[in-house]
Amino acid sequence: MSASKTGRLEARDASVVFRSGFGGRIAKTALRDATLGIGGEKPSIVAVVGESGSGKTTLTHLLLGFRSPTSGTVTYRGVDIAKMTGGERRVFRREVQAVFQDPFEVFNPFYRVDHALFTPLSVFGIARDRNDARAKIETALETVGLRPGETLGKYPHQLSGGQRQRIMIARALLLDPHIILADEPVSMVDASLRSTILQTLLRLKEEAGISLVYVTHDLTTAYQVADTIVVLFAGVIVESGGAEEVINAPRHPYTRALIDAIPSPDPDVPWNLDAIEPGEGGNGIPGTGCPFAPRCPFATMDCARAEPALAEIAPGRHVRCIRPLGGA
Ligand SMILES: Nc1ncnc2c1ncn2[C@@H]1O[C@H](COP(=O)(O)OP(=O)(O)OP(=O)(O)O)[C@@H](O)[C@H]1O
Ligand SMILES: [Mg+2]
């Protein structure tokens, strides 16, 4: 394992407000006061789970520097990514890589997939020559379980979704990243390949010392691969902690509802976080305070008064609820 992968990426009290309408009068807070760190001395996998629209991709884009926080900061190696020098930015661009949901969109359909693999090597000047580049590419493809001879020379449409997704992971690996942000990397892939790709991500942590943010709306796969689970609801972190504790002893009613909604113990059956409808189980409590109150079976009028802060209830264990559930 590489002992030198020490890059740490941190969002601190980061919010993203989208403005639309005439003069930007309509404001939508996609993410609010998000604090989250990944990487550093010990590699780990942080799963960010939440239903559609909860702010997962917004958080990923923030961590990648694709979007600036409206307030708060994102730092890499302690430097605000909005204020990096050219050299610092280059290190950041190399050490923090992304893998997205739909691998087809990333490929240029007119180029063989080789192009997507050679380009980052030449942009970052990593390979000594073409032979060295080819050797590095072959190693990266093998790491993700692809046979170079069957992969190189192909056009994107000649490969399956699972193969394209693994090429994207190989592409990220070529840059020897410290951190990979994977936004729904397996949601477009069928069940049989899903676990293969997740195993690959797990191996990257264990064998290459790479830390990952794994974004998903599937709590089952989050539990399978993650050390830490962060639960997002309506743009705020409502709960976080060790994967075991969050799943086995959820403290936020939303997390508990998610776990109760898992239809099948079969990890290959994807499970729909959007199953819990607004109003379902709620006590008619308005969402003027806690945003989950209208859907919360435990809500009382106290919940309507003010939004709870994210409180540390045990070391590394956070919950945003005025009356956290009892735990185990
Ligand atoms: N460019 C934008 N302009 C305005 N609103 C946006 C923009 N991008 C996202 N949003 C809104 O911000 C919220 C969070 O969106 P985001 O894409 O982060 O959710 P998500 O958790 O990734 O959802 P999904 O599971 O569907 O991918 C949503 O309400 C979305 O409509
Ligand atoms: Mg998304």
Side-chain angles (χ1 to χ4, degrees):
M1 188 201 289
S2 163
S4 58
K5 290 194 163 58
T6 53
R8 185 165 170 84
L9 182 61
E10 282 181 344
R12 203 162 296 149
D13 299 324
S15 300
V16 174
V17 180
F18 291 111
R19 295 205 161 267
S20 58
F22 182 69
R25 260 174 237 179
I26 305 165
K28 158 87 196 169
T29 303
L31 192 70
R32 191 152 38 82
D33 298 337
T35 295
L36 182 144
I38 181 77
E41 293 304 326
K42 193 173 179 292
S44 69
I45 300 182
V46 175
V48 175
V49 300
E51 62 197 7
S52 186
S54 59
K56 304 182 297 295
T57 296
T58 304
L59 177 60
T60 314
H61 285 179
L62 195 67
L63 291 170
L64 286 166
F66 292 179
R67 196 170 281 295
S68 308
T70 312
S71 60
T73 55
V74 179
T75 58
Y76 185 63
R77 293 186 174 279
V79 180
D80 189 330
I81 62 173
K83 296 174 186 158
M84 283 180 162
T85 62
E88 288 165 339
R89 181 161 299 276
R90 205 171 155 80
V91 170
F92 171 64
R93 283 271 164 259
R94 179 171 169 176
E95 291 183 351
V96 179
Q97 291 298 314
V99 172
F100 294 112
Q101 176 173 23
D102 182 359
F104 201 74
E105 280 182 358
V106 187
F107 289 99
N108 184 325
F110 302 110
Y111 286 113
R112 296 177 205 274
V113 296
D114 312 34
H115 184 77
L117 294 164
F118 278 101
T119 304
L121 289 177
S122 71
V123 166
F124 285 93
I126 291 165
R128 288 190 305 277
D129 53 35
R130 195 140 182 104
N131 283 340
D132 186 36
R134 173 121 193 154
K136 285 188 160 67
I137 288 169
E138 290 183 355
T139 304
L141 289 172
E142 281 158 5
T143 304
V144 299
L146 290 172
R147 291 195 191 91
E150 293 172 16
T151 313
L152 296 172
K154 295 258 166 63
Y155 287 93
H157 70 268
Q158 294 175 310
L159 297 164
S160 72
Q163 287 171 322
R164 284 194 294 263
Q165 188 57 291
R166 279 184 284 176
I167 291 173
M168 291 323 294
I169 299 170
R171 182 183 199 260
L173 290 181
L174 287 171
L175 299 175
D176 195 23
H178 292 214
I179 293 167
I180 293 179
L181 303 173
D183 188 356
E184 305 265 12
V186 293
S187 61
M188 307 283 277
V189 169
D190 61 42
S192 61
L193 267 172
R194 198 175 300 139
S195 66
T196 314
I197 292 178
L198 291 171
Q199 285 309 313
T200 303
L201 295 179
L202 205 51
R203 271 190 20 240
L204 296 183
K205 180 190 88 168
E206 280 159 9
E207 292 168 19
I210 296 170
S211 289
L212 290 118
V213 174
Y214 169 57
V215 170
T216 182
H217 55 276
D218 178 12
L219 204 51
T220 310
T221 58
Y223 180 60
Q224 286 170 340
V225 301
D227 302 292
T228 302
I229 293 180
V230 173
V231 182
L232 270 183
F233 174 77
V236 293
I237 294 173
V238 294
E239 175 155 14
S240 68
E244 290 284 337
E245 292 109 82
V246 170
I247 300 299
N248 294 323
R251 306 298 298 271
H252 195 283
Y254 176 61
T255 315
R256 162 89 150 265
L258 292 180
I259 293 163
D260 290 348
I262 296 175
S264 160
D266 181 349
D268 288 338
V269 176
W271 148 80
N272 183 11
L273 275 202
D274 309 329
I276 308 162
E277 292 298 328
E280 194 176 303
N283 300 329
I285 307 295
T288 46
C290 171
F292 187 60
R295 286 162 64 173
C296 183
F298 308 105
T300 66
M301 279 316 288
D302 287 340
C303 301
R305 281 190 247 288
E307 186 180 16
L310 188 66
E312 186 164 32
I313 52 165
R317 193 84 171 80
H318 292 82
V319 64
R320 191 187 288 273
C321 179
I322 55 169
R323 270 191 313 279
L325 300 172

